[in-house]
Amino acid sequence: MSNTNTQQLSDEGVSIWLDDLSRERLDSGSLQGLIDDRNVVGVTTNPSIFAAALKNGAAYEPQVRELAAGSATTDEAITVITTTDVRSACDLFAPLADATNGEDGRVSIEVSPLLANDTDGTIAEAKQLWELVDRRNVMIKIPATKEGLPAITEAIASGISVNVTLIFSLPRYREVINAYLTGLEQARERGHDLSGIRSVASFFVSRVDVEIDKRLDALGTDEATALKGKAGVANARLAYQVFEESFASERAKLLLSEGAHLQRPLWASTGVKDPSLPDTLYVTELVAPQTVNTMPEGTLNAVADHGEITGNTVTDGYHDANILLDELDALGVSYTEVVELLEVEGVDKFKVAWSELQQTVTDQLAQHK
């Protein structure tokens, strides 16, 4: 029987995706348990998640041994290992994907963060991962860097479902939606069935608070302190307003009438970093229809235990969200500077995780040679 709180969240139109995947989670039935008991209807992965899984997982040893015997390189091994996990998860979620006409039951895998500023390289790897996983319910994650935008368009135009990741700013989010709509228009010209293409736009939440709150602490005034822990939710709420406005445009409505789907907003980075804030903050304060919330298991369990779902908590908050950003600006906390920094840091953090993943796999391959 599903949990009351997570069921309420689902009833409000929020799809719960787990921000984690490992061979052990698949083999043990842990993921199936979260599907059954916590209303989990999808999974997201990233380099950090795979780095942790490989470092701690004995479940990978037989495959690593086989890859070592075949003289696989580190990068070849990473591709085989990660696509194996994602393919297995796609198969687990296949009934959900069928039941929701492909809206949920989705599993995301990311292109190498080393390609974040390489449009052609990102396109090539997105197409390769799409073919290697070979499941209709996979999503290829492409970062919303300047160089990532044309790659998003080309992937969508090629009929590939895309999870656009590392979105921090409202201007960049508008560019992401434009890249998606342009991709759909090109897909139509190439003869693709638009109804088979899905996309989400992953808007990062907690990292906005971490950076802005650091700047508010540095100011040290009562006025600054009063604004702490509020910017992430405000930014996300305004992103939902952009979503509503963008997909009400004549351009979007024409594509939707031809079978295309909304590019749903996905709330990412929803684990609370500041212990003084409620641990369910980025879930209960971001409830709105046609959204996805991808949660680490700790956040998911907190929601299941004591999350208070009170209906839509987004669409009545646009006015206050705008005022909050104005107040931050008046204090000298630059929104533009913060979100630009967060994009660079986001890519850098995934590059570090990728290096850790490479080192872990290199060491494991060496042990079996």
Side-chain angles (χ1 to χ4, degrees), residues 174-217:
R174 291 187 181 93
E175 292 179 306
V176 166
I177 294 173
N178 179 64
Y180 174 60
L181 296 177
T182 302
L184 288 174
E185 289 161 349
Q186 293 181 11
R188 179 183 57 195
E189 291 169 8
R190 297 183 193 183
H192 288 290
D193 176 6
L194 299 187
S195 68
I197 303 170
R198 293 281 184 172
S199 184
V200 294
S202 297
F203 213 88
F204 280 49
V205 187
S206 68
R207 294 187 193 181
V208 174
D209 276 336
V210 169
E211 183 58 34
I212 286 182
D213 288 0
K214 183 169 66 177
R215 295 173 186 227
L216 292 172
D217 281 336

Side-chain angles (χ1 to χ4, degrees), residues 329-346:
D329 186 63
L331 290 176
V333 178
S334 169
Y335 175 83
T336 301
E337 185 180 302
V338 166
V339 293
E340 287 178 354
L341 173 66
L342 288 173
E343 181 181 306
V344 172
E345 284 186 348

Side-chain angles (χ1 to χ4, degrees), residues 11 25 38 143 167 175 218 234 289 321 338 345 350 357:
D11 291 343
R25 189 181 282 284
R38 294 284 192 265
I167 308 172
E175 292 179 306
V338 166
E345 284 186 348
F350 279 164
L357 176 59

Side-chain angles (χ1 to χ4, degrees), residues 8-25:
Q8 275 188 286
L9 199 58
S10 298
D11 291 343
E12 291 293 338
V14 179
S15 291
I16 300 171
W17 291 4
L18 180 71
D19 194 30
D20 192 41
L21 184 64
S22 68
R23 189 75 49 89
E24 183 179 11
R25 189 181 282 284

Side-chain angles (χ1 to χ4, degrees), residues 62-105:
Q63 189 173 33
V64 171
R65 189 183 301 115
E66 183 181 325
L67 288 163
S71 300
T73 66
T74 294
D75 287 347
E76 287 169 347
I78 289 172
T79 298
V80 171
I81 291 166
T82 57
T83 56
T84 298
D85 278 2
V86 169
R87 190 180 305 110
S88 297
C90 283
D91 289 343
L92 182 64
F93 279 106
L96 265 167
D98 291 341
T100 59
N101 191 31
E103 180 168 72
D104 285 313

